[in-house]
């Protein structure tokens, strides 16, 4: 496949890169599992690896199925573009940087809005970190609204095919930060997202939660106050483990819990809205507070109040862990 064909069909980019991914996985497996040179939580366990590959396949299939609708939507907005941007070396770099900036805000929203976290949690639920972890993607991203974050690039005037290509290229490059085999990249740690920075992002250690959202450039985290250096050994996973290698369970557990919370009794419309779109811990602490009221016989208290209240019990949401 030549480059022009790849731009015309950007959805196949990750499949084109797949051989490189599998070579890296094989090398990491050899260093970690056969030579015992990596931590235990960098090892490859067949049930989890199969789950990761299953999640990737479901994600890829859903992207292909929803891609036609999203492509038509992008083309509609492209008709309202502000500028006619001709692609060359300079505009390609500009698109890469602009998309990476948009990715930072998509990723941050995916941790701070429960509706979006319900899709993203599949990526964070593993308690191991190796290259196969990068395959833990969610088929629910189109419903969660990931595609909305690339619309500004189309409206500015970047061709939709190039936008999708760069989105997938960014995702493909992020494969290489899911490893414990590389400790530090020296001075590059100041500029780009590295395995060290991304290990922090996957940590459930309190100081690592909601940190290092970078796709390619770590400068966004440094600019917007979400950067954290890797110091303490990372404990991977989420604070309420899913404990399953079934891709469907991994994908839908948080959606099930979120809708269960949303349709709980004695909630006002605004409270239900907050459960869906507030930060995950805020939404779950609201439900916990109501449970405490019910158990103590205080249902007459202001559980339907739209005014924010402090939780009555300490809650550490599973969706806090990133």
């Amino acid at each position: 496949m030549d480059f022009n064909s790849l731009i015309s069909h950007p959805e196949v980019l990750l499949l084109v890169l797949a051989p490189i991914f599998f070579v890296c996985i094989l090398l990491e497996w050899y260093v970690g599992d056969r030579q015992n040179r990596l931590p235990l939580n960098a090892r490859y366990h067949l049930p989890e690896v199969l789950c990761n590959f299953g999640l990737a396949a479901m994600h890829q299939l859903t992207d292909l199925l929803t891609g036609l609708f999203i492509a038509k939507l992008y083309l509609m907005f492209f008709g309202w573009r502000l500028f006619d941007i001709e692609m060359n070396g300079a505009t390609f770099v500009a698109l890469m940087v602009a998309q990476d900036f948009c990715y930072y805000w998509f990723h941050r929203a995916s941790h701070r809005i429960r509706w979006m976290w319900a899709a993203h949690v599949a990526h964070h639920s593993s308690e191991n970190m190796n290259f196969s972890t990068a395959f833990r993607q969610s088929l629910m991203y189109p419903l969660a609204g990931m595609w909305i974050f690339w619309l500004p690039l189309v409206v500015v005037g970047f061709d939709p095919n190039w936008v999708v290509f760069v989105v997938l290229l960014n995702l493909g490059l992020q494969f290489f930060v899911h490893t414990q085999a590389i400790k530090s990249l020296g001075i590059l740690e100041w500029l780009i997202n590295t395995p060290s920075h991304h290990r922090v992002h996957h940590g459930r250690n309190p100081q690592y939660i909601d940190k290092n959202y970078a796709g390619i450039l770590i400068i966004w985290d440094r600019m917007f106050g979400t950067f954290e250096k890797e110091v303490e050994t990372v404990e991977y996973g989420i604070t309420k483990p899913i404990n399953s290698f079934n891709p469907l369970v991994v994908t839908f557990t948080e959606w099930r819990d979120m809708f269960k919370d949303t349709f709980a009794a004695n909630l006002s419309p605004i409270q239900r809205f907050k459960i869906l779109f507030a930060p995950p811990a805020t939404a779950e602490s609201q439900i916990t507070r109501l449970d405490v009221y019910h158990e103590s016989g205080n249902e007459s208290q202001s559980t339907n109040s739209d005014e924010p209240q402090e939780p009555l019990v300490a809650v550490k949401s599973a969706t806090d862990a990133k």
Side-chain angles (χ1 to χ4, degrees):
M1 174 177 284
D2 61 30
F3 187 71
N4 289 331
S5 298
L6 193 56
I7 297 301
S8 299
H9 301 281
E11 66 277 2
V12 303
L13 175 61
L14 296 181
L15 295 177
V16 172
L17 294 174
I20 299 174
F21 297 158
F22 284 112
V23 168
C24 291
I25 287 173
L26 183 60
L27 290 173
E28 188 183 44
W29 168 81
Y30 181 78
V31 171
D33 290 54
R34 298 303 296 269
Q35 296 188 333
N36 297 319
R37 291 166 56 187
L38 295 177
L40 290 176
N41 57 13
R43 305 292 174 82
Y44 284 79
H45 305 282
L46 184 59
E48 182 171 72
V49 171
L50 292 176
C51 176
N52 296 349
F53 288 169
L55 289 167
M58 289 160 53
H59 169 256
Q60 189 74 11
L61 179 61
T62 305
D63 270 6
L64 291 174
L65 293 176
T66 59
L68 294 175
F69 168 75
I70 295 173
K72 289 183 178 180
L73 198 61
Y74 281 177
L75 286 172
M76 181 184 73
F77 279 91
F78 190 57
W80 302 335
R81 62 190 178 276
L82 301 177
F83 307 99
D84 291 310
I85 300 177
E86 181 181 350
M87 293 306 299
N88 53 45
T91 53
F92 175 72
V93 171
L95 176 56
M96 287 286 292
V97 173
Q99 189 275 328
D100 198 55
F101 176 77
C102 293
Y103 177 85
Y104 170 86
W105 290 105
F106 154 73
H107 200 179
R108 186 166 177 169
S110 294
H111 285 254
R112 303 303 299 155
I113 298 172
R114 192 179 184 190
W115 176 268
M116 297 185 68
W117 172 249
H120 192 54
V121 66
H123 184 64
H124 283 271
S125 55
S126 174
E127 296 184 354
N128 298 301
M129 170 60 85
N130 55 49
F131 280 133
S132 78
T133 307
F135 285 14
R136 296 179 71 92
Q137 303 296 327
S138 175
L139 64 85
M140 300 299 284
Y141 277 135
L143 180 63
M146 182 180 188
W147 54 272
I148 295 172
F149 288 81
W150 324 133
L151 271 179
L153 303 172
V154 174
V155 173
V156 167
F158 290 106
D159 183 281
N161 280 342
W162 277 96
V163 170
V164 174
F165 174 80
V166 167
V167 167
L168 294 177
L169 180 59
N170 189 314
L171 182 62
L173 291 174
Q174 288 183 53
F175 169 87
F176 300 101
V177 299
H178 291 84
T179 183
Q180 298 186 63
I182 299 171
K183 299 306 178 186
S184 174
L185 292 179
I187 195 171
L188 292 178
E189 300 281 335
W190 287 92
L191 178 63
I192 65 172
N193 190 19
T194 67
S196 176
H197 297 328
H198 203 63
R199 288 193 291 269
V200 165
H201 179 69
H202 275 259
R204 60 186 175 192
N205 316 52
Q207 71 272 33
Y208 292 160
I209 290 174
D210 289 339
K211 300 296 182 182
N212 298 2
Y213 297 118
I216 297 175
L217 300 173
I218 199 65
I219 59 173
W220 312 124
D221 287 287
R222 296 186 185 276
M223 289 172 60
F224 298 113
T226 53
F227 176 75
E228 186 70 31
K229 185 177 180 180
E230 183 181 28
V231 178
E232 180 180 299
T233 300
V234 179
E235 182 181 352
Y236 299 104
I238 55 179
T239 57
K240 190 175 72 178
I242 293 178
N243 293 324
S244 175
F245 296 128
N246 183 326
L248 294 176
V249 173
V250 172
T251 297
F252 292 111
T253 293
E254 177 60 20
W255 289 96
R256 178 201 65 195
D257 293 346
M258 179 178 66
F259 285 122
K260 179 181 177 182
D261 292 346
T262 302
F263 293 106
N266 302 308
L267 293 177
S268 71
I270 290 180
Q271 286 174 319
R272 298 182 197 279
F273 179 86
K274 288 180 178 178
I275 288 170
L276 292 173
F277 299 107
T282 302
E284 290 199 353
S285 66
Q286 176 174 261
I287 292 299
T288 303
R289 181 172 60 248
L290 289 174
D291 289 343
V292 170
Y293 283 164
H294 296 166
E295 290 172 5
S296 62
N298 291 324
E299 294 184 29
S300 62
Q301 297 187 31
S302 56
T303 56
N304 290 323
S305 171
D306 295 338
E307 295 297 319
Q309 304 173 49
E310 291 296 320
L312 295 182
V313 294
V315 176
K316 190 63 176 175
S317 166
T319 51
D320 263 345
K322 314 298 185 287

